[in-house]
Amino acid sequence: MRKTAGAIALGAALTLSSVVGTGAGGVASAAPAQPRSLYPASALVLSYGEGEGAGSAAVRRAVTLSCRPTSTGTHPTPDRACAELRAVDGEFGTLTARTEHGRACTKEWRPVTVTAEGVWEGRRVWYEHTFPNPCLKNNVRSQVFDF
């Protein structure tokens, strides 16, 4: 019996599909990607610098903070910092707005800038805030930028 070009091509396609694992549509299929963790990523780098903005500030201190599945990192109080961030759903501006009013500060202009960069609950974040001086930065009632 003589094979035609169409029969040869069909035989080759069926052989290739069984080797590659294609479905009926001829498209290779793979198992869906599985997450490596039950929790969305939360890993941050927090910094403190002297200057009027992140681009020009001389960084004096930087720490890491990871909040999932446990609170870890080089931050001095990772448990408290993560709890504060969870309470405000990662809104850093809410944290830097809460200040203690009992402490008096001078009105000197010696700016300090804090930054947060990384991933919070699976979403990319970048935050920057400049305080007029270190005293006003230290008046913030938050553990997140207290390092």
Side-chain angles (χ1 to χ4, degrees):
M1 181 176 199
R2 192 172 157 196
K3 292 186 179 179
T4 63
I8 293 172
L10 179 60
L14 290 174
T15 303
L16 182 60
S17 73
S18 65
V19 171
V20 174
T22 60
V27 177
S29 60
Q34 298 296 319
R36 294 181 185 228
S37 172
L38 298 175
Y39 307 101
S42 289
L44 303 163
V45 175
L46 308 171
S47 71
Y48 165 83
E50 296 172 354
E52 293 186 36
S56 62
V59 177
R60 296 294 178 222
R61 183 99 199 256
V63 297
T64 58
L65 180 64
S66 179
C67 296
R68 296 287 183 149
T70 59
S71 303
T72 62
T74 59
H75 193 285
T77 55
D79 291 330
R80 284 193 252 165
C82 288
E84 286 181 4
L85 280 169
R86 282 187 201 102
V88 296
D89 194 30
E91 293 297 325
F92 292 92
T94 302
L95 296 175
T96 55
R98 294 191 280 181
T99 60
E100 295 177 11
H101 298 288
R103 182 189 249 173
C105 292
T106 63
K107 292 185 179 185
E108 70 180 312
W109 180 250
R110 197 166 51 118
V112 294
T113 300
V114 295
T115 64
E117 182 175 8
V119 178
W120 175 256
E121 298 286 327
R123 69 182 190 267
R124 186 165 300 282
V125 293
W126 165 255
Y127 177 76
E128 173 182 344
H129 183 80
T130 301
F131 295 93
N133 57 54
C135 181
L136 290 171
K137 181 245 181 228
N138 293 334
N139 272 353
V140 171
R141 292 181 304 155
S142 172
Q143 296 291 309
V144 175
F145 291 109
D146 191 16
F147 51 87

